Amino acid sequence: MAEVDNEAPEKLGHSHPLFLNSNDNSETILISLQLRGLENYSVWSRAMRIAILGRNKLGFIDGKCKRENYGPNLVDLWDICNAIVLSWIMNCVSPELLSGNVYSSNASVVWNDLKESLAPIPGCDCEKSREFIVFMERLKLLQFLMGLNESYEQARSQLLMMIHAPSVNKAYSMLTERKSQRAIAHTGASGHTRENCFKLNGYPADFKSKIKGGALSAANFAGNSGGYVTAGLQMHPSGAQEPIPAVNFVKNNI
């Protein structure tokens, strides 16, 4: 079992991995090279490792400097150092890649995610090797798309039908943008704000009971419509009434 370091923060020496210099902050840009994708990952990763090593923080990306290695006196300082190292990585990655790779607040996890998705597969420069690389990239894309839920079925089909299949990062960015556009279109078309939209943010726990108590009953509505149930009405937070499809209206009031 690894020994737990619980030294007082003020007693840390310059060689300690949690020691912070005055210029170790989240706004620092370690290298001028920005990660764009597969084409420059190898050069970018080597430059970043050298720069992070120079700051004595390499353990935060190679997994050697772990939070559980430190006691109560130092865990808060570890969190600060981890956040700073994570910001160094993010400062040198293009915005397009950030949206598809930054799933964690742990610098080591983000570093390994970038490596897994962008590091070139070792091999020769022959045609067979290039074909294998393309195959592996396609496999990663399929694994990503198959993990999506049913609401992305149409988008998934469109991505699979593209002549030039996008990378996993590009596919993620495209889906994120599509989702944002749909949200904007929904709130704009119906005349209410995103914050008050039940469809986007979820319905309140008592929403169903309110519908039963305040909306027209299916029987009364049918009587007023010549025996044919077409729709009911629900009251939106904005004050406007919106139609409820008959199938949903009857189902929710049985």
Side-chain angles (χ1 to χ4, degrees), residues 137-154:
E137 290 302 318
R138 181 75 173 181
L139 182 61
K140 288 180 181 180
L141 176 63
L142 289 173
Q143 290 174 336
F144 168 70
L145 294 177
M146 291 303 103
L148 299 174
N149 60 40
E150 295 179 356
S151 65
Y152 291 96
E153 181 64 36
Q154 183 179 0

Side-chain angles (χ1 to χ4, degrees), residues 36-50:
R36 299 188 303 274
L38 288 167
E39 65 270 20
N40 73 336
Y41 172 79
S42 296
V43 176
W44 176 87
S45 62
R46 285 197 298 269
M48 282 295 293
R49 285 182 65 89
I50 293 171

Side-chain angles (χ1 to χ4, degrees), residues 8 11 17-18 43 63 79-80 87-88 93 100 104 115 117 122 125 131 137 140 152 168 203 211 227 242 245:
K11 294 183 179 180
L18 300 188
V43 176
D79 289 337
I80 293 173
S87 67
W88 289 345
V93 176
S104 172
K115 180 180 180 180
S117 60
D125 194 30
E131 289 177 359
E137 290 302 318
K140 288 180 181 180
Y152 291 96
V168 174
Y203 290 83
I211 288 294
E242 295 184 345

Side-chain angles (χ1 to χ4, degrees), residues 78-106:
W78 186 96
D79 289 337
I80 293 173
C81 291
N82 173 73
I84 290 175
V85 175
L86 179 59
S87 67
W88 289 345
I89 297 173
M90 295 171 64
N91 291 344
C92 297
V93 176
S94 67
E96 293 78 14
L97 289 180
L98 279 179
S99 62
N101 284 284
V102 182
Y103 306 114
S104 172
S105 59
N106 186 294

